[in-house]
Amino acid sequence: MLPPCYPFAPISRQRSRGFTLLELLVVMTIIGLLAGYVGPKFFAHIGKSEIKAARAQIDGLEKALDQYRLDVGRYPGSEEGLKALNEKPADAPRWAGPYLKKAVPADPWGKPYQYVQPGEHGEFDLFSLGRDGQPGGTGEAADIGNW
């Protein structure tokens, strides 16, 4: 028998402290199943938040357009567009802008907001074409507007 202070114990007496391949495979399978279950639910919430963000931005732009109307006496025309909120149009002597702190934001999908004056649904239509960038659609591809 070896003395207790001997630094190298025989291999048969050492206890392995690592994970076996089977244990690692079981853990990886569980993680994969959880990711497959949680992932789609997580990404569905991202789509809903983009729609909420678009509605909030449209609401903010509507308020800026209302302030523009109070100062100038009319909404900007379709030709002037939302650019009139930051840059003084030539035919707006009472313009008191800029009406936005920053440039007009793009919608949550990176596309510009559409502005039409006079609108089909009210004095003006302000809308995003949704994820697909095409008129109409359903779900996340649906148009989001101020009507």
Side-chain angles (χ1 to χ4, degrees):
M1 179 118 178
L2 298 172
C5 64
Y6 189 75
F8 301 104
I11 294 176
S12 63
R13 291 190 179 183
Q14 284 186 345
R15 187 159 188 218
S16 176
R17 297 190 180 241
F19 294 106
T20 66
L21 179 61
L22 182 60
E23 291 170 329
L24 289 174
L25 288 174
V26 168
V27 169
M28 289 174 53
T29 302
I30 291 171
I31 290 172
L33 289 171
L34 287 173
Y37 178 73
V38 173
K41 292 182 183 267
F42 174 74
F43 288 113
H45 288 291
I46 289 175
K48 290 177 186 175
S49 66
E50 288 172 334
I51 292 169
K52 288 180 183 178
R55 287 193 176 124
Q57 285 178 332
I58 287 172
D59 185 53
L61 290 171
E62 269 188 301
K63 289 177 180 160
L65 286 164
D66 288 339
Q67 185 63 46
Y68 177 97
R69 186 177 137 261
L70 286 172
D71 291 344
V72 176
R74 63 173 177 79
Y75 287 110
S78 294
E79 312 80 40
E80 297 167 328
L82 297 175
K83 181 172 62 172
L85 296 174
N86 285 332
E87 299 173 14
K88 181 179 180 181
D91 63 342
R94 296 186 325 203
W95 189 84
Y99 297 95
L100 297 173
K101 291 181 181 178
K102 298 179 181 178
V104 177
D107 70 10
W109 300 280
K111 299 174 184 81
Y113 283 102
Q114 307 297 310
Y115 174 76
V116 179
Q117 198 280 327
E120 294 178 20
H121 304 280
E123 292 185 67
F124 64 88
D125 289 348
L126 178 61
F127 58 97
S128 167
L129 295 173
R131 180 178 291 284
D132 65 353
Q134 302 295 322
T138 59
E140 291 179 33
D143 297 348
I144 302 162
N146 66 329
W147 53 88

